[in-house]
Amino acid sequence: MEHGPPGPGTAADAPQSPTHRKPHATMEPAEILERESRYGRTAGVLGILGVLCVLAPSFIGLGSEFNTAAQDAYAERFELFDANKGEILAAQALQAIGLILFAPPLFFLFQAAADRSSAVRRSLIGLTVVGPLFFGFALVLFFVAYNSATPTFIDGAPAGGDLNQFAEDTLTEESTWGAYLGLQLAAALSLVFAVVYTSLQAMRVGLLTRFLGTLGMALGVGFLLFGPLGPLALGLFIVTISLLIADLWRGERPPAWETGEAIPWLKAGDTPPPTEEELADAAEFEGEGREVADDEIPELAGDDPDDAADTEAPDEGPTGRPGRRDNKRKRKRKQRR
């Protein structure tokens, strides 16, 4: 029976509840692969450029004297800043740009994991962008704070007092210094959580091997613990995932990158699922061998092989009486009856 289209006011016109909406995680694998092939190379290259920008000042020696000075040597750092302001500005700018460029590969990897599993909390994807951005802006505030406090220290340094304490007070009284400390803390927490969570989820869906996923979580936490080496440690992880994302990895990428679906790694002691064997096609056996008619098979023809044997001539003994074989056949026939 055919039905016409539902009229106005029917359930078909009612707005669907959020629970009935198609989740984004059910995106078709072909669509996922097409989007990743379109943007993956760009995100990976930007991540690699970001790592180079973060490491460049150390390799070329920009502001090296200022950066290697002790953190609590405030008076010495003020003097070094005043003498190398241009180099320090270039170093801070390069590192700020580099940290901001950590966002594209982190965002891309988080998105790829979320597309393959609905268990990934998409609301946290913003941390992959907020963390790197906050760190970049924090480095800018760091330069602004020193640039504003240096003239005050140079012009008002006491002749006989505690020079280092005066330098510390001068720096901490700058409002931009307080903003820098707060933004740096927020950036560190956001970035560390983003790296750890993204590494964990990417490993669970098979985008990262267990080694790389564990390494990413360790380096994410190490960003806070390694001090000045934190950006270097995190840069190693960023360049690794950037090569994977851009499909520039020299080895074979995990299969989840090629299928667009989650392929979780086997746990210790698990065995791979058995593959379904193809059923043999009956046509392959057609016409082989000799066909046997039903009447050629005694059981199907209704004849008992023992009965057929009984109809043979009796085996008479030397006296003309039935032999032992004939007696055995008779006894067998009686037992069947």
Side-chain angles (χ1 to χ4, degrees):
M1 181 177 180
E2 296 182 0
H3 297 276
T10 61
D13 292 335
Q16 294 184 347
S17 63
T19 57
H20 293 129
R21 296 174 185 172
K22 182 180 179 182
H24 191 69
T26 59
M27 192 175 182
E28 293 296 329
E31 298 175 342
I32 296 174
L33 294 177
E34 190 276 333
R35 185 180 62 187
E36 290 177 357
S37 64
R38 185 189 309 170
Y39 301 112
R41 184 61 60 89
T42 301
V45 170
L46 289 176
I48 295 172
L49 288 177
V51 174
L52 294 177
C53 289
V54 170
L55 299 180
S58 299
F59 283 119
I60 62 180
L62 283 177
S64 58
E65 294 182 357
F66 175 83
N67 292 326
T68 55
Q71 296 294 321
D72 56 352
Y74 296 99
E76 180 183 0
R77 288 172 68 87
F78 269 127
E79 294 175 356
L80 291 172
F81 183 89
D82 186 59
N84 303 278
K85 185 182 300 185
E87 289 188 10
I88 296 172
L89 175 61
Q92 295 295 103
L94 277 174
Q95 290 186 335
I97 294 173
L99 287 170
I100 292 174
L101 290 180
F102 283 9
L106 281 175
F107 182 92
F108 188 94
L109 185 61
F110 189 106
Q111 181 73 51
D115 287 339
R116 288 164 174 79
S117 174
S118 58
V120 180
R121 300 184 61 180
R122 290 181 175 272
S123 58
L124 299 177
I125 195 172
L127 296 178
T128 62
V129 178
V130 169
L133 281 177
F134 280 8
F135 249 114
F137 294 148
L139 291 182
V140 174
L141 290 177
F142 177 88
F143 179 85
V144 172
Y146 262 93
N147 190 53
S148 299
T150 298
T152 303
F153 171 78
I154 298 297
D155 297 338
D162 188 346
L163 192 61
N164 197 66
Q165 184 61 47
F166 175 76
E168 181 181 0
D169 295 340
T170 302
L171 181 62
T172 54
E173 288 174 1
E174 286 289 331
S175 59
T176 49
W177 181 255
Y180 156 73
L181 293 177
L183 194 60
Q184 185 189 42
L185 178 61
L189 295 177
S190 300
L191 186 58
V192 168
F193 186 86
V195 171
V196 172
Y197 186 78
T198 302
S199 301
L200 175 63
Q201 297 300 332
M203 180 181 65
R204 285 179 173 176
V205 300
L207 292 173
L208 296 179
T209 63
R210 290 187 180 277
F211 172 77
L212 289 179
T214 305
L215 180 65
M217 290 185 282
L219 293 180
V221 176
F223 185 77
L224 296 177
L225 304 178
F226 295 161
L229 297 178
L232 175 61
L234 185 59
L236 293 176
F237 175 70
I238 295 297
V239 75
T240 300
I241 65 172
S242 296
L243 291 173
L244 280 173
I245 290 170
D247 199 9
L248 299 175
W249 189 254
R250 295 188 61 182
E252 185 178 358
R253 295 202 301 177
W257 287 106
E258 311 302 331
T259 62
E261 298 176 319
I263 305 181
W265 302 105
L266 294 176
K267 297 180 180 179
D270 291 349
T271 57
T275 57
E276 296 183 359
E277 297 181 358
E278 295 183 0
L279 297 178
D281 190 357
E284 297 178 0
F285 303 95
E286 186 176 356
E288 296 185 3
R290 186 177 69 84
E291 296 182 357
V292 181
D294 291 347
D295 56 0
E296 296 184 32
I297 304 175
E299 290 80 354
L300 299 179
D303 298 331
D304 191 336
D306 293 335
D307 292 341
D310 293 341
T311 58
E312 298 178 358
D315 182 15
E316 296 183 356
T319 59
R321 297 179 181 179
R324 294 181 180 179
R325 291 176 57 191
D326 190 42
N327 292 334
K328 289 181 179 179
R329 291 169 183 165
K330 289 180 180 180
R331 285 196 299 268
K332 187 184 296 185
R333 230 184 348 257
K334 289 180 181 180
Q335 291 175 359
R336 286 203 304 269
R337 292 175 183 173

